[in-house]
Amino acid sequence: MTFQQIFNHPPETQASASGRVNLLGEHTDYNDGFVLPTAIPQQTTVQLGFSNDGQHQFYSENLQERVNILDIHHSPSGFASYIFGCIEVLKQSGYTIPSLNVYVQSSVPIGSGLSSSAALEVATIRAIRQLLNLPINDVEIAQIAQQAEIHYAGVQCGIMDQMACSLADTQHILFLDTRTLERRLLPLPEQTSIVVIDSGVPRTLASSGYNQRRAECQEAAKLLVVNALRDITDEKVTETLPEPLNRRARHVVTENNRVLEVLQGVEPEHFGELMNASHASLRDDYEVSVPALDTLVEILQKTPGIFGARLTGAGFGGACVALVALGKEKAATQALEQYCHAGYQGKILVPS
Ligand code: GLA
């Protein structure tokens, strides 16, 4: 069904935003640290028009679901919560937002850790900016989107996903300092391609586990008397903390240092080693991996032609990212076959 068929009038405007895959720098953003995401080719598109019956109406083409917002004091759930959240945060920022008809279509895989929610938020705010000519820049779009996610979707997320969906492209890596929002576009590792494979295991416990990790990091920073774990650069300092805060903090410190190493310029082989080390740290110190992700990553790491692999996104299920030598993309297919033989149902998401 099209916008026209759903709402009986054509859209006034539309905007899109890409999903993202994070190459390195996981669970560092809410510790004021460093991240290295890149955009994926899959996008979410939001079409907008004015609603003349005084209610917001949202339609998801993927879910074939229509939501009418009858009571603006009651936040909806599911895909509608992200759109509603963006509208509410824009209003709280002082903008007058009329009742809208919103149509969403997305090719960003949902629930795989590729930021389908941030892509929806950024596309929604971009479309509203266009429709109403709002004086909002791309960084502000990311900040509004993050507030929508925190307050209306209930995930105490950092700013990486929304910044990546708003500012990254598929040709570069976006280096972002999440404290200062200073950023730089870096070239992708030479002669490589990025492959993303879904483990087939949904991200259960993602939001509760995520919020718990965030609280643990805050506690660790408090005990070390710093504003955020970003302020610790020597992993030895974390040894004074009680279990498991010592390991949580060690992950953040070593992960930030891995990102900073990439910033100095590294060969693809070393980039791959850093990705492998990141996975080990997420598995052992941060404890956000699951057996399926460990199995997939282990197979990928052992496959010739693959420089490195790790879980990507929040963890607890979802996808892995691998850095593959250009021309050796078949290696990822072979690894996937092996993974499926082990009884799992994986799928290559990028390249699509
Ligand atoms: C989710 C959050 C991000 C970030 C990652 C983990 O994607 O939305 O802010 O914390 O997890 O790196």
Side-chain angles (χ1 to χ4, degrees), residues 210-241:
Y210 184 92
N211 289 345
Q212 188 196 1
R213 291 296 177 283
R214 189 173 178 143
E216 286 169 346
C217 288
Q218 261 165 7
E219 178 66 15
K222 204 166 129 199
L223 291 174
L224 294 172
V225 202
V226 288
N227 282 333
L229 289 179
R230 139 73 174 275
D231 297 310
I232 311 288
T233 52
D234 180 357
E235 66 177 276
K236 283 207 189 80
V237 175
T238 62
E239 286 168 10
T240 57
L241 290 166

PDB file of all heavy atoms in Angstrom, residues 210-241:
ATOM      1  N   TYR A 210      21.364  -3.911  28.626  1.00  0.00           N
ATOM      2  CA  TYR A 210      22.036  -2.681  28.202  1.00  0.00           C
ATOM      3  C   TYR A 210      21.981  -1.637  29.319  1.00  0.00           C
ATOM      4  O   TYR A 210      23.004  -1.058  29.700  1.00  0.00           O
ATOM      5  CB  TYR A 210      21.334  -2.145  26.952  1.00  0.00           C
ATOM      6  CG  TYR A 210      21.988  -0.930  26.355  1.00  0.00           C
ATOM      7  CD1 TYR A 210      22.948  -1.061  25.370  1.00  0.00           C
ATOM      8  CD2 TYR A 210      21.653   0.351  26.774  1.00  0.00           C
ATOM      9  CE1 TYR A 210      23.561   0.051  24.819  1.00  0.00           C
ATOM     10  CE2 TYR A 210      22.252   1.465  26.242  1.00  0.00           C
ATOM     11  CZ  TYR A 210      23.202   1.317  25.255  1.00  0.00           C
ATOM     12  OH  TYR A 210      23.809   2.420  24.718  1.00  0.00           O
ATOM     13  N   ASN A 211      20.779  -1.427  29.850  1.00  0.00           N
ATOM     14  CA  ASN A 211      20.644  -0.414  30.901  1.00  0.00           C
ATOM     15  C   ASN A 211      21.447  -0.797  32.144  1.00  0.00           C
ATOM     16  O   ASN A 211      21.998   0.058  32.836  1.00  0.00           O
ATOM     17  CB  ASN A 211      19.164  -0.196  31.243  1.00  0.00           C
ATOM     18  CG  ASN A 211      18.424   0.519  30.114  1.00  0.00           C
ATOM     19  OD1 ASN A 211      19.043   1.089  29.214  1.00  0.00           O
ATOM     20  ND2 ASN A 211      17.104   0.487  30.148  1.00  0.00           N
ATOM     21  N   GLN A 212      21.541  -2.113  32.386  1.00  0.00           N
ATOM     22  CA  GLN A 212      22.333  -2.586  33.530  1.00  0.00           C
ATOM     23  C   GLN A 212      23.825  -2.294  33.324  1.00  0.00           C
ATOM     24  O   GLN A 212      24.510  -1.824  34.238  1.00  0.00           O
ATOM     25  CB  GLN A 212      22.109  -4.086  33.696  1.00  0.00           C
ATOM     26  CG  GLN A 212      22.716  -4.649  34.959  1.00  0.00           C
ATOM     27  CD  GLN A 212      22.807  -6.173  34.891  1.00  0.00           C
ATOM     28  OE1 GLN A 212      22.424  -6.784  33.887  1.00  0.00           O
ATOM     29  NE2 GLN A 212      23.305  -6.774  35.936  1.00  0.00           N
ATOM     30  N   ARG A 213      24.321  -2.549  32.110  1.00  0.00           N
ATOM     31  CA  ARG A 213      25.734  -2.257  31.832  1.00  0.00           C
ATOM     32  C   ARG A 213      26.012  -0.765  32.003  1.00  0.00           C
ATOM     33  O   ARG A 213      27.032  -0.352  32.521  1.00  0.00           O
ATOM     34  CB  ARG A 213      26.114  -2.647  30.392  1.00  0.00           C
ATOM     35  CG  ARG A 213      26.124  -4.128  30.113  1.00  0.00           C
ATOM     36  CD  ARG A 213      27.175  -4.852  30.940  1.00  0.00           C
ATOM     37  NE  ARG A 213      27.106  -6.283  30.708  1.00  0.00           N
ATOM     38  CZ  ARG A 213      26.205  -7.111  31.223  1.00  0.00           C
ATOM     39  NH1 ARG A 213      25.283  -6.658  32.059  1.00  0.00           N
ATOM     40  NH2 ARG A 213      26.224  -8.397  30.934  1.00  0.00           N
ATOM     41  N   ARG A 214      25.073   0.008  31.542  1.00  0.00           N
ATOM     42  CA  ARG A 214      25.256   1.459  31.639  1.00  0.00           C
ATOM     43  C   ARG A 214      25.354   1.886  33.113  1.00  0.00           C
ATOM     44  O   ARG A 214      26.211   2.693  33.475  1.00  0.00           O
ATOM     45  CB  ARG A 214      24.087   2.168  30.947  1.00  0.00           C
ATOM     46  CG  ARG A 214      24.330   3.627  30.835  1.00  0.00           C
ATOM     47  CD  ARG A 214      23.310   4.361  30.020  1.00  0.00           C
ATOM     48  NE  ARG A 214      23.696   5.771  30.077  1.00  0.00           N
ATOM     49  CZ  ARG A 214      23.584   6.612  29.106  1.00  0.00           C
ATOM     50  NH1 ARG A 214      23.089   6.256  27.976  1.00  0.00           N
ATOM     51  NH2 ARG A 214      23.980   7.870  29.250  1.00  0.00           N
ATOM     52  N   ALA A 215      24.499   1.306  33.935  1.00  0.00           N
ATOM     53  CA  ALA A 215      24.523   1.630  35.366  1.00  0.00           C
ATOM     54  C   ALA A 215      25.848   1.170  35.988  1.00  0.00           C
ATOM     55  O   ALA A 215      26.425   1.870  36.831  1.00  0.00           O
ATOM     56  CB  ALA A 215      23.336   0.967  36.056  1.00  0.00           C
ATOM     57  N   GLU A 216      26.330  -0.007  35.573  1.00  0.00           N
ATOM     58  CA  GLU A 216      27.601  -0.513  36.113  1.00  0.00           C
ATOM     59  C   GLU A 216      28.756   0.442  35.758  1.00  0.00           C
ATOM     60  O   GLU A 216      29.636   0.698  36.583  1.00  0.00           O
ATOM     61  CB  GLU A 216      27.897  -1.912  35.552  1.00  0.00           C
ATOM     62  CG  GLU A 216      27.020  -2.992  36.154  1.00  0.00           C
ATOM     63  CD  GLU A 216      27.108  -4.346  35.438  1.00  0.00           C
ATOM     64  OE1 GLU A 216      27.641  -4.416  34.308  1.00  0.00           O
ATOM     65  OE2 GLU A 216      26.632  -5.332  36.008  1.00  0.00           O
ATOM     66  N   CYS A 217      28.729   0.947  34.546  1.00  0.00           N
ATOM     67  CA  CYS A 217      29.796   1.875  34.123  1.00  0.00           C
ATOM     68  C   CYS A 217      29.751   3.165  34.937  1.00  0.00           C
ATOM     69  O   CYS A 217      30.784   3.716  35.320  1.00  0.00           O
ATOM     70  CB  CYS A 217      29.671   2.187  32.638  1.00  0.00           C
ATOM     71  SG  CYS A 217      30.148   0.796  31.609  1.00  0.00           S
ATOM     72  N   GLN A 218      28.524   3.627  35.212  1.00  0.00           N
ATOM     73  CA  GLN A 218      28.386   4.856  36.008  1.00  0.00           C
ATOM     74  C   GLN A 218      28.947   4.642  37.406  1.00  0.00           C
ATOM     75  O   GLN A 218      29.638   5.498  37.960  1.00  0.00           O
ATOM     76  CB  GLN A 218      26.912   5.240  36.100  1.00  0.00           C
ATOM     77  CG  GLN A 218      26.557   6.312  35.088  1.00  0.00           C
ATOM     78  CD  GLN A 218      25.058   6.467  34.901  1.00  0.00           C
ATOM     79  OE1 GLN A 218      24.267   5.867  35.628  1.00  0.00           O
ATOM     80  NE2 GLN A 218      24.684   7.269  33.929  1.00  0.00           N
ATOM     81  N   GLU A 219      28.641   3.463  37.958  1.00  0.00           N
ATOM     82  CA  GLU A 219      29.116   3.118  39.289  1.00  0.00           C
ATOM     83  C   GLU A 219      30.652   3.046  39.296  1.00  0.00           C
ATOM     84  O   GLU A 219      31.313   3.568  40.207  1.00  0.00           O
ATOM     85  CB  GLU A 219      28.490   1.757  39.673  1.00  0.00           C
ATOM     86  CG  GLU A 219      28.900   1.187  41.015  1.00  0.00           C
ATOM     87  CD  GLU A 219      28.432   2.019  42.188  1.00  0.00           C
ATOM     88  OE1 GLU A 219      27.555   2.875  42.004  1.00  0.00           O
ATOM     89  OE2 GLU A 219      28.978   1.823  43.301  1.00  0.00           O
ATOM     90  N   ALA A 220      31.216   2.421  38.259  1.00  0.00           N
ATOM     91  CA  ALA A 220      32.677   2.300  38.162  1.00  0.00           C
ATOM     92  C   ALA A 220      33.321   3.687  38.078  1.00  0.00           C
ATOM     93  O   ALA A 220      34.327   3.959  38.753  1.00  0.00           O
ATOM     94  CB  ALA A 220      33.050   1.458  36.941  1.00  0.00           C
ATOM     95  N   ALA A 221      32.730   4.562  37.279  1.00  0.00           N
ATOM     96  CA  ALA A 221      33.291   5.916  37.122  1.00  0.00           C
ATOM     97  C   ALA A 221      33.243   6.661  38.464  1.00  0.00           C
ATOM     98  O   ALA A 221      34.191   7.351  38.843  1.00  0.00           O
ATOM     99  CB  ALA A 221      32.515   6.677  36.049  1.00  0.00           C
ATOM    100  N   LYS A 222      32.152   6.441  39.202  1.00  0.00           N
ATOM    101  CA  LYS A 222      31.986   7.101  40.504  1.00  0.00           C
ATOM    102  C   LYS A 222      33.084   6.620  41.472  1.00  0.00           C
ATOM    103  O   LYS A 222      33.736   7.430  42.143  1.00  0.00           O
ATOM    104  CB  LYS A 222      30.598   6.756  41.049  1.00  0.00           C
ATOM    105  CG  LYS A 222      30.076   7.751  42.034  1.00  0.00           C
ATOM    106  CD  LYS A 222      28.601   7.528  42.264  1.00  0.00           C
ATOM    107  CE  LYS A 222      28.341   7.436  43.749  1.00  0.00           C
ATOM    108  NZ  LYS A 222      27.060   6.798  44.055  1.00  0.00           N
ATOM    109  N   LEU A 223      33.291   5.304  41.486  1.00  0.00           N
ATOM    110  CA  LEU A 223      34.311   4.744  42.392  1.00  0.00           C
ATOM    111  C   LEU A 223      35.717   5.204  42.019  1.00  0.00           C
ATOM    112  O   LEU A 223      36.588   5.330  42.873  1.00  0.00           O
ATOM    113  CB  LEU A 223      34.240   3.213  42.388  1.00  0.00           C
ATOM    114  CG  LEU A 223      32.996   2.593  43.037  1.00  0.00           C
ATOM    115  CD1 LEU A 223      32.968   1.084  42.838  1.00  0.00           C
ATOM    116  CD2 LEU A 223      32.951   2.926  44.534  1.00  0.00           C
ATOM    117  N   LEU A 224      35.924   5.456  40.720  1.00  0.00           N
ATOM    118  CA  LEU A 224      37.257   5.910  40.282  1.00  0.00           C
ATOM    119  C   LEU A 224      37.374   7.439  40.296  1.00  0.00           C
ATOM    120  O   LEU A 224      38.405   8.000  39.895  1.00  0.00           O
ATOM    121  CB  LEU A 224      37.552   5.377  38.867  1.00  0.00           C
ATOM    122  CG  LEU A 224      37.701   3.843  38.758  1.00  0.00           C
ATOM    123  CD1 LEU A 224      37.786   3.402  37.301  1.00  0.00           C
ATOM    124  CD2 LEU A 224      38.918   3.347  39.536  1.00  0.00           C
ATOM    125  N   VAL A 225      36.286   8.079  40.752  1.00  0.00           N
ATOM    126  CA  VAL A 225      36.228   9.539  40.869  1.00  0.00           C
ATOM    127  C   VAL A 225      36.586  10.243  39.540  1.00  0.00           C
ATOM    128  O   VAL A 225      37.417  11.146  39.484  1.00  0.00           O
ATOM    129  CB  VAL A 225      37.124  10.055  42.035  1.00  0.00           C
ATOM    130  CG1 VAL A 225      36.661  11.441  42.482  1.00  0.00           C
ATOM    131  CG2 VAL A 225      37.113   9.114  43.221  1.00  0.00           C
ATOM    132  N   VAL A 226      35.922   9.796  38.491  1.00  0.00           N
ATOM    133  CA  VAL A 226      36.034  10.484  37.191  1.00  0.00           C
ATOM    134  C   VAL A 226      34.618  10.745  36.681  1.00  0.00           C
ATOM    135  O   VAL A 226      33.666  10.101  37.118  1.00  0.00           O
ATOM    136  CB  VAL A 226      36.810   9.647  36.143  1.00  0.00           C
ATOM    137  CG1 VAL A 226      38.287   9.596  36.457  1.00  0.00           C
ATOM    138  CG2 VAL A 226      36.226   8.241  36.000  1.00  0.00           C
ATOM    139  N   ASN A 227      34.503  11.693  35.753  1.00  0.00           N
ATOM    140  CA  ASN A 227      33.180  11.997  35.194  1.00  0.00           C
ATOM    141  C   ASN A 227      32.630  10.834  34.391  1.00  0.00           C
ATOM    142  O   ASN A 227      31.441  10.551  34.417  1.00  0.00           O
ATOM    143  CB  ASN A 227      33.267  13.217  34.275  1.00  0.00           C
ATOM    144  CG  ASN A 227      33.315  14.491  35.084  1.00  0.00           C
ATOM    145  OD1 ASN A 227      32.797  14.532  36.203  1.00  0.00           O
ATOM    146  ND2 ASN A 227      33.944  15.507  34.535  1.00  0.00           N
ATOM    147  N   ALA A 228      33.503  10.190  33.643  1.00  0.00           N
ATOM    148  CA  ALA A 228      33.094   9.056  32.804  1.00  0.00           C
ATOM    149  C   ALA A 228      34.312   8.174  32.603  1.00  0.00           C
ATOM    150  O   ALA A 228      35.461   8.629  32.745  1.00  0.00           O
ATOM    151  CB  ALA A 228      32.572   9.556  31.460  1.00  0.00           C
ATOM    152  N   LEU A 229      34.075   6.894  32.223  1.00  0.00           N
ATOM    153  CA  LEU A 229      35.208   5.963  32.061  1.00  0.00           C
ATOM    154  C   LEU A 229      36.155   6.395  30.940  1.00  0.00           C
ATOM    155  O   LEU A 229      37.297   5.956  30.893  1.00  0.00           O
ATOM    156  CB  LEU A 229      34.683   4.541  31.818  1.00  0.00           C
ATOM    157  CG  LEU A 229      34.039   3.884  33.045  1.00  0.00           C
ATOM    158  CD1 LEU A 229      33.522   2.498  32.703  1.00  0.00           C
ATOM    159  CD2 LEU A 229      35.037   3.802  34.209  1.00  0.00           C
ATOM    160  N   ARG A 230      35.702   7.249  30.074  1.00  0.00           N
ATOM    161  CA  ARG A 230      36.560   7.831  29.039  1.00  0.00           C
ATOM    162  C   ARG A 230      37.805   8.484  29.662  1.00  0.00           C
ATOM    163  O   ARG A 230      38.873   8.540  29.044  1.00  0.00           O
ATOM    164  CB  ARG A 230      35.717   8.845  28.261  1.00  0.00           C
ATOM    165  CG  ARG A 230      36.326  10.160  27.857  1.00  0.00           C
ATOM    166  CD  ARG A 230      37.302   9.964  26.722  1.00  0.00           C
ATOM    167  NE  ARG A 230      37.819  11.219  26.211  1.00  0.00           N
ATOM    168  CZ  ARG A 230      37.243  11.973  25.298  1.00  0.00           C
ATOM    169  NH1 ARG A 230      36.059  11.656  24.836  1.00  0.00           N
ATOM    170  NH2 ARG A 230      37.825  13.053  24.848  1.00  0.00           N
ATOM    171  N   ASP A 231      37.669   8.956  30.882  1.00  0.00           N
ATOM    172  CA  ASP A 231      38.781   9.663  31.517  1.00  0.00           C
ATOM    173  C   ASP A 231      39.877   8.725  32.001  1.00  0.00           C
ATOM    174  O   ASP A 231      40.929   9.190  32.439  1.00  0.00           O
ATOM    175  CB  ASP A 231      38.255  10.517  32.671  1.00  0.00           C
ATOM    176  CG  ASP A 231      37.307  11.591  32.161  1.00  0.00           C
ATOM    177  OD1 ASP A 231      37.684  12.295  31.205  1.00  0.00           O
ATOM    178  OD2 ASP A 231      36.184  11.694  32.672  1.00  0.00           O
ATOM    179  N   ILE A 232      39.645   7.425  31.954  1.00  0.00           N
ATOM    180  CA  ILE A 232      40.689   6.453  32.324  1.00  0.00           C
ATOM    181  C   ILE A 232      41.346   5.958  31.044  1.00  0.00           C
ATOM    182  O   ILE A 232      40.646   5.496  30.130  1.00  0.00           O
ATOM    183  CB  ILE A 232      40.079   5.226  33.060  1.00  0.00           C
ATOM    184  CG1 ILE A 232      39.149   5.655  34.185  1.00  0.00           C
ATOM    185  CG2 ILE A 232      41.176   4.272  33.534  1.00  0.00           C
ATOM    186  CD1 ILE A 232      39.826   6.235  35.384  1.00  0.00           C
ATOM    187  N   THR A 233      42.647   6.060  30.961  1.00  0.00           N
ATOM    188  CA  THR A 233      43.320   5.577  29.742  1.00  0.00           C
ATOM    189  C   THR A 233      44.200   4.359  30.027  1.00  0.00           C
ATOM    190  O   THR A 233      44.545   3.631  29.112  1.00  0.00           O
ATOM    191  CB  THR A 233      44.188   6.686  29.106  1.00  0.00           C
ATOM    192  OG1 THR A 233      45.031   7.211  30.127  1.00  0.00           O
ATOM    193  CG2 THR A 233      43.333   7.791  28.526  1.00  0.00           C
ATOM    194  N   ASP A 234      44.530   4.147  31.307  1.00  0.00           N
ATOM    195  CA  ASP A 234      45.395   3.029  31.666  1.00  0.00           C
ATOM    196  C   ASP A 234      44.526   1.922  32.267  1.00  0.00           C
ATOM    197  O   ASP A 234      43.894   2.120  33.312  1.00  0.00           O
ATOM    198  CB  ASP A 234      46.433   3.526  32.689  1.00  0.00           C
ATOM    199  CG  ASP A 234      47.386   2.415  33.108  1.00  0.00           C
ATOM    200  OD1 ASP A 234      47.201   1.256  32.656  1.00  0.00           O
ATOM    201  OD2 ASP A 234      48.303   2.712  33.900  1.00  0.00           O
ATOM    202  N   GLU A 235      44.505   0.753  31.613  1.00  0.00           N
ATOM    203  CA  GLU A 235      43.604  -0.307  32.083  1.00  0.00           C
ATOM    204  C   GLU A 235      43.942  -0.800  33.487  1.00  0.00           C
ATOM    205  O   GLU A 235      43.083  -1.352  34.182  1.00  0.00           O
ATOM    206  CB  GLU A 235      43.568  -1.481  31.075  1.00  0.00           C
ATOM    207  CG  GLU A 235      44.865  -2.225  30.941  1.00  0.00           C
ATOM    208  CD  GLU A 235      44.734  -3.415  29.984  1.00  0.00           C
ATOM    209  OE1 GLU A 235      44.298  -4.482  30.426  1.00  0.00           O
ATOM    210  OE2 GLU A 235      45.080  -3.258  28.813  1.00  0.00           O
ATOM    211  N   LYS A 236      45.191  -0.587  33.931  1.00  0.00           N
ATOM    212  CA  LYS A 236      45.606  -1.036  35.278  1.00  0.00           C
ATOM    213  C   LYS A 236      44.759  -0.369  36.367  1.00  0.00           C
ATOM    214  O   LYS A 236      44.494  -0.975  37.404  1.00  0.00           O
ATOM    215  CB  LYS A 236      47.078  -0.692  35.519  1.00  0.00           C
ATOM    216  CG  LYS A 236      48.036  -1.640  34.824  1.00  0.00           C
ATOM    217  CD  LYS A 236      49.373  -1.715  35.581  1.00  0.00           C
ATOM    218  CE  LYS A 236      50.397  -2.476  34.771  1.00  0.00           C
ATOM    219  NZ  LYS A 236      51.016  -1.621  33.712  1.00  0.00           N
ATOM    220  N   VAL A 237      44.344   0.867  36.094  1.00  0.00           N
ATOM    221  CA  VAL A 237      43.549   1.617  37.076  1.00  0.00           C
ATOM    222  C   VAL A 237      42.266   0.862  37.426  1.00  0.00           C
ATOM    223  O   VAL A 237      41.771   0.934  38.557  1.00  0.00           O
ATOM    224  CB  VAL A 237      43.226   3.023  36.500  1.00  0.00           C
ATOM    225  CG1 VAL A 237      42.293   3.797  37.417  1.00  0.00           C
ATOM    226  CG2 VAL A 237      44.510   3.798  36.240  1.00  0.00           C
ATOM    227  N   THR A 238      41.750   0.085  36.465  1.00  0.00           N
ATOM    228  CA  THR A 238      40.467  -0.592  36.685  1.00  0.00           C
ATOM    229  C   THR A 238      40.599  -1.781  37.646  1.00  0.00           C
ATOM    230  O   THR A 238      39.598  -2.297  38.132  1.00  0.00           O
ATOM    231  CB  THR A 238      39.877  -1.104  35.350  1.00  0.00           C
ATOM    232  OG1 THR A 238      40.769  -2.075  34.784  1.00  0.00           O
ATOM    233  CG2 THR A 238      39.696   0.020  34.353  1.00  0.00           C
ATOM    234  N   GLU A 239      41.842  -2.216  37.895  1.00  0.00           N
ATOM    235  CA  GLU A 239      42.062  -3.399  38.760  1.00  0.00           C
ATOM    236  C   GLU A 239      41.622  -3.159  40.202  1.00  0.00           C
ATOM    237  O   GLU A 239      41.366  -4.106  40.938  1.00  0.00           O
ATOM    238  CB  GLU A 239      43.546  -3.808  38.732  1.00  0.00           C
ATOM    239  CG  GLU A 239      43.942  -4.481  37.418  1.00  0.00           C
ATOM    240  CD  GLU A 239      45.447  -4.621  37.246  1.00  0.00           C
ATOM    241  OE1 GLU A 239      46.197  -4.378  38.220  1.00  0.00           O
ATOM    242  OE2 GLU A 239      45.866  -4.958  36.122  1.00  0.00           O
ATOM    243  N   THR A 240      41.544  -1.911  40.603  1.00  0.00           N
ATOM    244  CA  THR A 240      41.157  -1.610  41.989  1.00  0.00           C
ATOM    245  C   THR A 240      39.657  -1.782  42.214  1.00  0.00           C
ATOM    246  O   THR A 240      39.195  -1.804  43.362  1.00  0.00           O
ATOM    247  CB  THR A 240      41.522  -0.150  42.333  1.00  0.00           C
ATOM    248  OG1 THR A 240      40.869   0.690  41.370  1.00  0.00           O
ATOM    249  CG2 THR A 240      43.019   0.083  42.296  1.00  0.00           C
ATOM    250  N   LEU A 241      38.881  -1.897  41.136  1.00  0.00           N
ATOM    251  CA  LEU A 241      37.419  -1.980  41.268  1.00  0.00           C
ATOM    252  C   LEU A 241      36.979  -3.391  41.659  1.00  0.00           C
ATOM    253  O   LEU A 241      37.633  -4.364  41.322  1.00  0.00           O
ATOM    254  CB  LEU A 241      36.759  -1.625  39.930  1.00  0.00           C
ATOM    255  CG  LEU A 241      36.853  -0.171  39.480  1.00  0.00           C
ATOM    256  CD1 LEU A 241      36.460  -0.056  38.013  1.00  0.00           C
ATOM    257  CD2 LEU A 241      35.969   0.724  40.336  1.00  0.00           C
TER     258      LEU A 241
END
